[in-house]
Amino acid sequence: MLRLHDTATGTIEPLVLRDPGQVSMYVCGPTVYDVPHIGHGRMALAFDILRRYLEFSGLEVRYVSNITDIDDKIIARAQNEQRTLTDVAREFEAAWFDALDGLDVLRPTVSPRATEYVEHMVALVTDLVERGDAYETSDGVYLSVDRVPGYGLLARQSLDSLRSGARVELDEEKRSPLDFVLWKKAKPGEPTWPSPWGDGRPGWHTECVVMSLDLLGDGFDIHGGGIDLAFPHHENERAQAVATGRTFAHHWVHNGFVMMGAEKMSKSLGNFTSIIDLLERTDGRAYRLLLLRSHYRSQVEVSPDTMTDAEEALVGLDALVRRFDLGDVTAAGTASETLALGADPDAVRAFRATMDADLGTPAAVGALF
């Protein structure tokens, strides 16, 4: 049985499925305002490996990963470049899927766009207001986290602890600095949709809870993404579901950061390398192999030295595959999986045991060398 680290408990837990033989998985996709960077690529590859292993194990996987196509950064770019929001979003959505193809990542079963679900989001916020869990201010509608049982689960902190560590808010209309926006009232020049609180647009945290529950249903199996999303984004998604009495994800899985030297890689730090740049310089399989040689929850350093090492290892692995006529390494998703398919039963059992222990890809790949 596959056992995965659960961010909510901080322990490795058996993956118990809602529906026998079927896995329902939601992974937060990109905000499409720029080309995707290799941190996005790590997220995509981490969950591609998980998905491929689940399918290798005989399970049917329904994999949903969204496109956030309404956001402050998309609006800012559209305004700066005098383009429409849709034009900007579609350009970088196409770049995202080109990057997935270049990394040989399987396309999601469904890739919903946030703008397709705004009416559903308005309905959710309306429900929260009617329950007394959300309140209107001059600039929007906010969720009152004090009314959500167990708020802070994914941060693994109590509400009091989070409140004491929160930054002082200048917005005197908010009841708590931890309260987060569900609906943003219209500002000049921004795209808007109608709502009971006036024209505006949804808050980021409201998007994924609506799409995941609509496409996967209550109590879906896995919610995933980069570890930077665990709090507050995923916690705030969970809070809305809890407040409306819905059962949300049963298992929370997060991958670690990509590091460039001593710092995590991010656009805000200006130290990111796009997936497009990476694929122009090297075989995308080398990046997959670099990540397979690190545990998905660990930090991984991407540098010229680590990429060269992965490229050299890939040359040797390709030679091994040709020698044993085991087919295309990329087709099976992981080199270790490819070789396991042609190995003796003891090797396959050892491979499964390693992978079942929280996707132990470093040991599985290490056995090849």
Side-chain angles (χ1 to χ4, degrees):
M1 175 183 290
L2 177 61
R3 301 178 304 282
L4 291 170
H5 183 271
D6 192 324
T7 306
T9 65
T11 59
I12 296 175
E13 307 279 352
L15 178 62
V16 179
L17 301 179
R18 178 185 62 186
D19 304 307
Q22 299 179 336
V23 182
S24 47
M25 180 163 63
Y26 187 92
V27 177
C28 279
T31 299
V32 285
Y33 70 96
D34 204 342
V35 293
H37 58 60
I38 56 176
H40 297 132
R42 186 184 194 188
M43 175 276 295
L45 283 165
F47 289 96
D48 185 61
I49 292 163
L50 172 58
R51 175 188 184 176
R52 288 178 185 268
Y53 182 65
L54 290 167
E55 292 178 345
F56 172 74
S57 301
L59 298 168
E60 179 184 345
V61 179
R62 180 170 172 80
Y63 178 55
V64 178
S65 186
N66 70 295
I67 298 292
T68 293
D69 59 346
I70 173 68
D71 179 82
D72 291 345
K73 293 177 181 177
I74 303 174
I75 293 169
R77 183 159 196 156
Q79 291 175 339
N80 290 338
E81 298 179 2
Q82 298 184 333
R83 301 165 64 189
T84 67
L85 180 84
T86 299
D87 184 39
V88 171
R90 296 297 176 268
E91 175 187 346
F92 294 110
E93 177 183 329
W96 169 246
F97 285 117
D98 286 345
L100 293 188
D101 293 343
L103 292 173
D104 196 33
V105 170
L106 297 174
R107 292 284 185 99
T109 312
V110 187
S111 297
R113 293 172 178 148
T115 52
E116 299 167 346
Y117 277 82
V118 175
E119 289 185 7
H120 296 71
M121 298 174 204
V122 170
L124 172 64
V125 178
T126 299
D127 186 14
L128 290 166
V129 170
E130 291 175 349
R131 290 170 179 269
D133 296 318
Y135 58 94
E136 185 178 2
T137 70
S138 60
D139 68 347
V141 179
Y142 289 80
L143 186 78
S144 178
V145 299
D146 287 3
R147 293 179 58 88
V148 180
Y151 186 83
L153 177 70
L154 296 178
R156 295 173 59 201
Q157 295 185 54
S158 68
L159 183 58
D160 287 342
S161 175
L162 290 169
R163 190 184 292 111
S164 66
R167 292 180 296 178
V168 175
E169 289 282 349
L170 298 178
D171 187 350
E172 295 181 354
E173 294 184 76
K174 285 178 62 173
R175 297 174 184 173
S176 165
L178 295 173
D179 292 352
F180 59 90
V181 67
L182 304 173
W183 185 260
K184 298 181 178 183
K185 293 185 179 180
K187 294 181 180 179
E190 292 189 352
T192 62
W193 288 261
S195 83
W197 320 282
D199 291 351
R201 58 189 172 92
W204 179 41
H205 304 309
T206 304
E207 297 175 6
C208 288
V209 63
V210 167
M211 291 184 282
S212 59
L213 288 172
D214 181 71
L215 292 167
L216 295 175
D218 286 27
F220 61 92
D221 298 312
I222 297 171
H223 195 316
I227 189 60
D228 55 316
L229 297 182
F231 187 87
H233 183 48
H234 288 168
E235 181 63 37
N236 289 348
E237 287 180 45
R238 192 190 72 85
Q240 294 168 80
V242 169
T244 54
R246 306 282 298 270
T247 304
F248 206 44
H250 280 162
H251 208 108
W252 294 89
V253 180
H254 294 94
N255 63 274
F257 289 123
V258 169
M259 305 298 291
M260 305 287 283
E263 295 182 316
K264 74 168 186 172
M265 191 213 62
S266 71
K267 290 183 180 180
S268 62
L269 293 174
N271 62 358
F272 72 95
T273 298
S274 75
I275 298 175
I276 295 169
D277 290 341
L278 177 78
L279 293 173
E280 286 177 349
R281 299 173 188 172
T282 189
D283 189 331
R285 295 178 305 146
Y287 188 47
R288 181 185 290 266
L289 184 56
L290 173 63
L291 299 183
L292 285 166
R293 294 167 83 178
S294 300
H295 193 269
Y296 76 92
R297 288 192 289 115
S298 67
Q299 295 181 352
V300 61
E301 182 179 353
V302 179
S303 67
D305 288 344
T306 60
M307 283 305 306
T308 297
D309 185 62
E311 289 164 353
E312 292 173 351
L314 182 62
V315 170
L317 189 56
D318 280 342
L320 184 62
V321 170
R322 287 193 298 271
R323 177 182 174 189
F324 288 96
D325 192 25
L326 294 175
D328 183 4
V329 171
T330 61
T334 71
S336 50
E337 180 181 313
T338 303
L339 296 183
L341 290 170
D344 62 56
D346 288 341
V348 173
R349 280 192 291 271
F351 168 73
R352 286 185 178 277
T354 299
M355 293 295 287
D356 282 346
D358 196 27
L359 293 183
T361 60
V365 173
L368 300 176
F369 296 96

